[in-house]
Amino acid sequence: MPPAQARAFDLQGHRGARWLFPENTLEGFAATAALGVPTLELDVGITADDVVVVCHDPALNPDVVRDAAGNWLPQRGPRLRELTLAELRRYDVGRLRPGSGYAATFPEQAPRDGARIPTLAQVLQACPSTRFNIELKTFPLQPEITIDGGQLAEAVAAVADACHAADRIIVQSFDWRGPRRLKRTRPDIAVAWLTRKETIAAARAWWACDAAASVPQAVAAEGGPTWGPVFTDLTEAHLAEAHRLGLRVVPWTVNHPQDMRRLIDWGIDGLITDRPDLALQILRSKGLMAS
Ligand code: MG
């Protein structure tokens, strides 16, 4: 295996570029790709009529979603799995709810009124030269919310095949059942293993992993090649261990320039950020991406 740093730095825009544009929308993905961001991260769920759609939340989020009459949802709405695609497409996700904490977190996000929750197929077709890191939003401890992680992974692979895009996707999840399924059935599709403290504790309960294994060792035991830790948990020692195991390390969600610089200097292999515009500037200044 070549040294991890021998491959290009993988800058990934989180949900497109959530700092700048409405998350997980066609409008946001196109605008982010136009900045020169090579990979766009997104989240997927599945509708009642089995269409893979791009949405972070398993149920409609009142901080993001307006109904067909333009009214903000008064509370959390129906689950994606309870709506057909036609029903889902009535909702507007182009603007954060004014006055919400979420809107205050992303004050520079430029609205795109009328934006709809897209299908995965629409996104793959709209940005034909962009890579996508597709996060499976499945919930092993709450199976009633949506389908099984392995099933959603297979559904994503089928969409990618129909769009001739299997060679430009990564499939990642905190629910390791999805990437684990693809490792077996679709070794041609790249996968990544997301972690945070809760995931590791739960994963050990589901799969009886070696309790003494470190997180990088657990990811390597799954076959890698990419580990996606929350950046606040990542230490330089973890990174070195992961590299010794042949893993690439792509932490999330790194939004502050000082954190980007520190992690880049440690030798991370990519990062996921709501601010890929800032990350591009930093990477170019360090000669890690072409201008
Ligand atoms: Mg995600």
Side-chain angles (χ1 to χ4, degrees):
M1 183 177 293
Q5 287 298 301
R7 290 170 61 187
F9 191 92
D10 193 10
L11 172 60
Q12 304 190 10
H14 187 232
R15 309 186 196 178
R18 179 169 53 163
W19 195 271
L20 303 173
F21 312 115
E23 66 185 64
N24 286 329
T25 61
L26 284 175
E27 294 83 349
F29 294 129
T32 310
L35 295 175
V37 181
T39 303
L40 303 183
E41 190 268 358
L42 55 76
D43 310 284
V44 293
I46 193 161
T47 64
D49 47 349
D50 294 326
V51 181
V52 179
V53 292
V54 180
C55 184
H56 177 266
D57 305 289
L60 297 181
N61 180 346
D63 283 346
V64 178
V65 180
R66 281 172 284 169
D67 66 18
N71 300 311
W72 298 98
L73 300 190
Q75 59 202 16
R76 189 155 288 275
R79 291 177 183 150
L80 302 178
R81 191 60 177 153
E82 296 170 328
L83 298 170
T84 64
L85 179 64
E87 290 167 337
L88 194 60
R89 298 281 297 174
R90 295 182 191 138
Y91 294 93
D92 188 323
V93 292
R95 180 183 291 268
L96 299 177
R97 178 199 288 268
S100 66
Y102 200 31
T105 304
F106 297 100
E108 295 179 39
Q109 188 185 102
R112 298 283 197 281
D113 292 324
R116 296 296 192 252
I117 292 174
T119 67
L120 178 60
Q122 284 179 307
V123 173
L124 293 175
Q125 288 161 353
C127 299
S129 53
T130 300
R131 295 175 76 226
F132 284 93
N133 185 359
I134 298 167
E135 182 183 345
L136 309 174
K137 286 294 188 188
T138 56
F139 307 91
L141 301 182
Q142 298 166 279
E144 70 284 2
I145 289 180
T146 187
I147 64 175
D148 166 88
Q151 290 178 296
L152 187 57
E154 296 284 2
V156 164
V159 172
D161 286 340
C163 297
H164 306 290
D167 61 348
R168 60 182 173 95
I169 67 167
I170 306 159
V171 175
Q172 67 172 6
S173 192
F174 292 104
D175 175 3
W176 288 11
R177 294 175 304 173
R180 187 179 267 179
R181 173 77 65 92
L182 293 182
K183 273 282 177 188
R184 193 171 75 241
T185 62
R186 293 297 302 265
D188 58 311
I189 293 179
V191 299
W193 311 84
L194 290 172
T195 63
R196 54 188 165 203
K197 285 193 175 71
E198 308 89 291
T199 315
I200 296 305
R204 286 179 176 155
W206 307 322
W207 288 302
C209 305
D210 175 0
S214 68
V215 176
Q217 284 171 335
V219 173
E222 295 287 343
T226 301
W227 174 35
V230 59
F231 87 93
T232 49
D233 283 355
L234 182 64
T235 66
E236 204 167 3
H238 287 141
L239 179 65
E241 180 189 4
H243 282 166
R244 281 195 300 275
L245 291 163
L247 300 176
R248 287 169 61 77
V249 182
V250 180
W252 53 276
T253 300
V254 189
N255 287 346
H256 295 289
Q258 64 271 32
D259 291 321
M260 294 179 189
R261 289 195 183 91
R262 173 174 54 85
L263 292 163
I264 291 165
D265 290 345
W266 282 2
I268 55 171
D269 303 281
L271 61 80
I272 300 175
T273 176
D274 291 313
R275 308 208 61 182
D277 54 329
L278 274 183
L280 272 174
Q281 287 178 20
I282 291 169
L283 289 163
R284 286 170 176 160
S285 76
K286 290 178 176 292
L288 291 171
M289 288 191 74
S291 297

